Amino acid sequence: MAIGPKEGGRAPNFSMDSTQGPIKLGDYKDQTLVLYFYPKDDTPGCTTEAKDFTDLAREFEKAGAKVVGVSRDTLAKHEKFAAKHDLAVTLASDEDGKVCEAYGVWVEKKNYGRTYMGIERSTFLIGPDKKVIRIWRKVRVKGHAEDVLNVIKSGA
């Protein structure tokens, strides 16, 4: 069972390098933050998810929200991934896995009978007060970005 923040609880602080330079939780004053964790740059599901958030980037902005995608890929990989797919979301690099651990998304996974540690695709909606409004775990990519946007627009 992954341990991490709970809905209504405080979001764990973070500090990471990103495609927009160094970022930390405190940078998002007076803004809602969509912090989504994904397994790996340039894989089919992760690419679709990043493109879906990119397609809705203006809508998120209008709703007062910033979107940040997090994986353990290097910053150089993120920059290549963002350029290749013309991504409009910030991608943050958690190479040492500390942020993934703090958010409880570094979990044991099974694939074709093989057990390994990896990132569980998850999204955390964090309010301007740095409290977690909503958590989506084991995210299915199709329609996810729209779901998150709708929750923000509904004033959750």
Side-chain angles (χ1 to χ4, degrees):
M1 171 74 194
I3 297 169
K6 306 259 184 284
E7 290 184 1
R10 283 197 66 74
N13 250 324
F14 63 78
S15 178
M16 294 177 279
D17 282 331
S18 84
T19 51
Q20 302 298 311
I23 60 169
K24 58 187 185 308
L25 183 61
D27 293 341
Y28 300 93
K29 291 176 177 50
D30 307 320
Q31 288 178 314
T32 300
L33 175 63
V34 176
L35 194 64
Y36 80 93
F37 291 84
Y38 65 98
K40 197 167 179 50
D41 286 345
D42 232 356
T43 55
C46 299
T47 301
T48 299
E49 187 174 26
K51 285 175 150 180
D52 289 352
F53 276 117
T54 291
D55 290 346
L56 295 171
R58 279 202 183 92
E59 294 292 316
F60 279 103
E61 285 286 333
K62 275 192 225 160
K66 290 278 190 205
V67 179
V68 175
V70 180
S71 83
R72 292 188 63 174
D73 287 308
T74 64
L75 189 55
K77 265 189 170 169
H78 281 342
E79 286 167 345
K80 231 164 129 176
F81 179 46
K84 179 177 177 182
H85 298 286
D86 202 19
L87 302 177
V89 294
T90 299
L91 298 177
S93 179
D94 182 31
E95 280 187 76
D96 64 9
K98 285 190 169 90
V99 180
C100 289
E101 289 278 351
Y103 279 82
V105 301
W106 187 248
V107 299
E108 189 175 275
K109 297 170 100 178
K110 285 182 173 45
N111 196 10
Y112 299 112
R114 192 171 74 90
T115 301
Y116 60 98
M117 294 302 287
I119 293 176
E120 175 182 78
R121 191 181 307 278
S122 306
T123 301
F124 296 80
L125 183 60
I126 302 168
D129 60 358
K130 306 306 168 236
K131 287 207 164 93
V132 178
I133 298 168
R134 178 98 182 258
I135 300 171
W136 290 263
R137 291 199 178 269
K138 295 184 180 164
V139 166
R140 293 211 182 284
V141 173
K142 190 170 170 45
H144 178 60
E146 291 91 344
D147 287 349
V148 175
L149 183 60
N150 289 336
V151 168
I152 293 168
K153 284 180 168 178
S154 73

